[in-house]
Amino acid sequence: MTESRGKLIVISGFSGAGKGTVVQGLVEKYPYSLSVSATTRPPRPGEEHGKAYYFKTVDEFMHLIDYNGFIEWTNYCDNYYGTPRRFIEDEMRLGHDVILEIEVEGALNVKRQYEDAILIFITTPDAATLEERLKGRGSEDEPTIRKRISRAREEVTLVHNYDYVIINDELEQCIEEVNAVVLTEKNQYQNRVALIDQIRTELEEI
Ligand code: 5GP
């Protein structure tokens, strides 16, 4: 069978929309490769180096930028975050679909470089639910929550750049909807050109 290059699936959403949980559910249930970002943000309780993030000092992060180690990076709420280049490229070459969970600016940056990346935005059904979830998480203080809500006000003006908007009301349903979108995208004709060419050749030979 024709091996095609893996897809890049970029998942963003307001802080508190639950996109981390959605992504976790997706990789547990389906064979996606998950990109682990680098960040200068301090670890939250329970977050492990190499799993949640690669935790870096600002100097280490700057060094990686200098060496072209990121496909994109940004400063989000006073911390740096970046997507490591090598993992993404290797996985896609192997035909694996790679999920990036990154914020809006980074997502748009990725789309500029990988135009067939699928951009999916996860939202709560409304803003009140968002605020409730941010407060309920208990891991951020009030000023940080305010900062994240004000960031959501900026992000909402950029959602029109996404290919899909999926509501995270019921977690399992949201996971299934994201997976369905990816399957649909992969079955589009332009992703099947090589396969059809191969079948055309095979048909000549039988
Ligand atoms: P958190 O601090 O809550 O883990 O992440 C804050 C924001 O940074 C989230 O919206 C998350 O998706 C985003 N983020 C995580 N890693 C990256 C990355 O590598 N690049 C960009 N642009 N955003 C990231």
Side-chain angles (χ1 to χ4, degrees):
M1 211 178 111
T2 310
E3 273 299 327
S4 54
R5 198 168 146 84
K7 277 260 173 210
L8 207 46
I9 300 130
V10 182
I11 300 193
S12 310
F14 305 120
S15 178
K19 59 189 182 302
T21 321
V22 171
V23 167
Q24 205 180 315
L26 273 166
V27 296
E28 275 168 15
K29 217 163 166 184
Y30 300 105
Y32 292 109
S33 297
L34 179 61
S35 162
V36 177
S37 294
T39 185
T40 59
R41 162 169 85 58
R44 294 192 188 120
E47 282 185 338
E48 280 179 50
H49 180 80
K51 284 199 175 159
Y53 285 104
Y54 296 107
F55 295 100
K56 303 281 180 193
T57 63
V58 172
D59 276 357
E60 287 168 339
F61 197 95
M62 292 303 145
H63 189 72
L64 281 164
I65 294 176
D66 288 346
Y67 282 85
N68 199 24
F70 297 124
I71 63 167
E72 64 75 37
W73 63 270
T74 194
N75 189 305
Y76 176 93
C77 296
D78 303 331
N79 292 299
Y80 290 103
Y81 296 81
T83 305
R85 181 182 302 281
R86 165 100 52 92
F87 176 82
I88 310 284
E89 288 291 343
D90 288 352
E91 288 297 301
M92 284 169 60
R93 205 173 303 122
L94 289 169
H96 300 163
D97 300 323
V98 183
I99 295 187
L100 311 185
E101 187 213 318
I102 63 177
E103 52 64 68
V104 176
E105 214 178 283
L108 302 186
N109 206 340
V110 169
K111 188 82 177 180
R112 271 178 230 120
Q113 299 169 66
Y114 301 85
E115 57 180 19
D116 63 344
I118 309 168
L119 264 55
I120 301 176
F121 194 87
I122 307 283
T123 180
T124 45
D126 51 48
T129 312
L130 193 69
E131 190 184 25
E132 252 168 55
R133 286 196 198 160
L134 271 177
K135 288 187 170 160
R137 192 146 82 175
S139 56
E140 271 96 9
D141 56 15
E142 188 60 28
T144 306
I145 291 173
R146 289 293 120 208
K147 210 182 266 183
R148 287 182 176 230
I149 286 176
S150 110
R151 177 77 187 207
R153 286 194 194 102
E154 293 166 28
E155 288 173 342
V156 80
T157 66
L158 294 169
V159 179
H160 64 275
N161 291 295
Y162 281 70
D163 301 307
Y164 299 90
V165 176
I166 298 183
I167 299 170
N168 181 21
D169 195 7
E170 206 280 303
L171 178 64
E172 281 307 313
Q173 187 182 334
C174 182
I175 291 169
E176 292 311 315
E177 286 183 25
V178 173
N179 190 53
V181 155
V182 177
L183 292 182
T184 305
E185 283 278 332
K186 289 180 68 161
N187 289 334
Q188 284 196 1
Y189 173 70
Q190 65 262 32
N191 291 316
R192 297 296 194 203
V193 173
L195 173 73
I196 294 301
D197 279 351
Q198 182 182 323
I199 293 176
R200 185 184 298 132
T201 309
E202 287 167 358
L203 283 170
E204 295 302 322
E205 290 165 359
I206 54 175

